Amino acid sequence: MSVQHLIAVAVIGPGSGRLGANLAAAVALIGLVLGGLALARSAGRIGSGSGRRGAIVALVAGLFGIALAGLHLATNTGDFGTGSGRAGAIVALAVGLVGLVLGGLTLARSRHAG
């Protein structure tokens, strides 16, 4: 094995393209779950309170997930089916957008209620 081959394996690595997409999807999914819980809390289904704090966290997590997915798509050179994580980043964009919408709905509801 040559030095160039070892460097290429260390830099590229197996599945390294999926890491950014998986991280973006995980952060976006956290935003989606927190947005759903905050919306349920503001509707009075679980707990008490307006869910405002959860809505803000959902907005931040959704936005951060969207930013990570966008960064991954901008820096990714692979195509679909190559293991570069392009499809995962697109899914993370959609999930982050839903989390963002749920957080925004909850904030709008908490403003009208209080």
Side-chain angles (χ1 to χ4, degrees), residues 20-34 57-69 92 95-96 99:
N22 287 338
L23 179 65
V27 170
L29 186 62
I30 289 170
L32 180 115
V33 169
L34 290 176
V57 173
L59 282 170
V60 169
L63 190 61
F64 194 58
I66 289 172
L68 285 174
V95 171

Side-chain angles (χ1 to χ4, degrees), residues 61-77:
L63 190 61
F64 194 58
I66 289 172
L68 285 174
L71 178 67
H72 182 74
L73 284 173
T75 59
N76 185 3
T77 58

Side-chain angles (χ1 to χ4, degrees), residues 41-64:
R41 176 169 286 199
S42 72
R45 291 193 182 101
I46 57 172
S48 62
S50 65
R52 186 171 172 83
R53 187 174 299 153
I56 292 170
V57 173
L59 282 170
V60 169
L63 190 61
F64 194 58

Side-chain angles (χ1 to χ4, degrees), residues 1-111:
M1 236 184 229
S2 67
V3 174
Q4 289 86 6
H5 182 69
L6 289 174
I7 292 173
V9 168
V11 170
I12 297 170
S16 63
R18 293 187 191 116
L19 181 64
N22 287 338
L23 179 65
V27 170
L29 186 62
I30 289 170
L32 180 115
V33 169
L34 290 176
L37 289 174
L39 188 61
R41 176 169 286 199
S42 72
R45 291 193 182 101
I46 57 172
S48 62
S50 65
R52 186 171 172 83
R53 187 174 299 153
I56 292 170
V57 173
L59 282 170
V60 169
L63 190 61
F64 194 58
I66 289 172
L68 285 174
L71 178 67
H72 182 74
L73 284 173
T75 59
N76 185 3
T77 58
D79 203 6
F80 292 107
T82 61
S84 61
R86 182 175 291 272
I90 292 171
V91 169
L93 278 173
V95 171
L97 184 62
V98 172
L100 206 62
V101 168
L102 287 176
L105 285 173
T106 306
L107 272 181
R109 181 177 282 192
S110 71
R111 284 190 190 128

